[in-house]
Amino acid sequence: MDTLLVAADSALRTLFARPRAGEPSPARSLPAVDLSVEQRRLSSALMRVNHVGEVCAQGLYMAQSCVTRAPQLRSDLLAAAREETDHLAWTRERLDALGSRPSLLNPLWFAGAFAIGLVAARVSDQASLGFVVETERQVSAHLQGHLRRLPEADLPSRAIVDRMQRDEERHAAQAQAAGALPLPPPARWLMKAAAKVMTTTAHYI
């Protein structure tokens, strides 16, 4: 029951409360930039997609931490979730600065990620970690693509995405070192297809 209450609290905080970062945003020390209308629109869309990714990360890690019976793994998952909360806060701050908004479908994204995390975790802890590795690797590649697409002038957004990308690579390496099993190719392809639907939709909605 305690675990379920923690999960419910995480969902409410992720979807309806203002996230609080444990450390300042990488963009905070940078001066404001003057973007054109088109540049601002592009940056807003990309940062909205990145914010959705962090919403999904909260659902994923919370579901996995609820299922595992290994205390160390639960601690590691919750630590990763706290770092992802920083990302959640930073992307939300940047959306506010750009005069934009998060995705209207965030409850759907959270629920989907939570469900997938539950399924993966119920197979085994090693399968759950394998899912983390593949997710973080796909997210890292996705963020690299955003760094190529973000306007060169948008240094605040670029600083946030660069830091996030390095953190995601570290999360993947940690999960791999903890004993992750590689996912079969069909599972990886399915994950990529689902991510494509999510990112394409979140770009606009």
Side-chain angles (χ1 to χ4, degrees), residues 128-183:
S128 180
L129 287 167
F131 188 80
V132 170
V133 170
E134 184 62 27
T135 298
E136 298 291 23
R137 285 176 175 171
Q138 290 190 20
V139 170
S140 177
H142 171 81
L143 292 172
Q144 284 279 26
H146 278 199
L147 285 173
R148 292 190 292 270
R149 294 181 61 194
L150 279 167
E152 290 292 334
D154 191 358
L155 297 180
S157 294
R158 297 181 66 83
I160 292 171
V161 172
D162 178 69
R163 171 61 186 277
M164 288 169 57
Q165 193 267 336
R166 288 184 280 117
D167 286 347
E168 308 303 359
E169 287 188 346
R170 178 165 47 80
H171 291 164
Q174 290 170 338
Q176 188 71 60
L181 289 176
L183 296 185

Side-chain angles (χ1 to χ4, degrees), residues 172-195:
Q174 290 170 338
Q176 188 71 60
L181 289 176
L183 296 185
R188 297 198 300 270
W189 298 334
L190 184 60
M191 289 172 63
K192 287 182 179 180

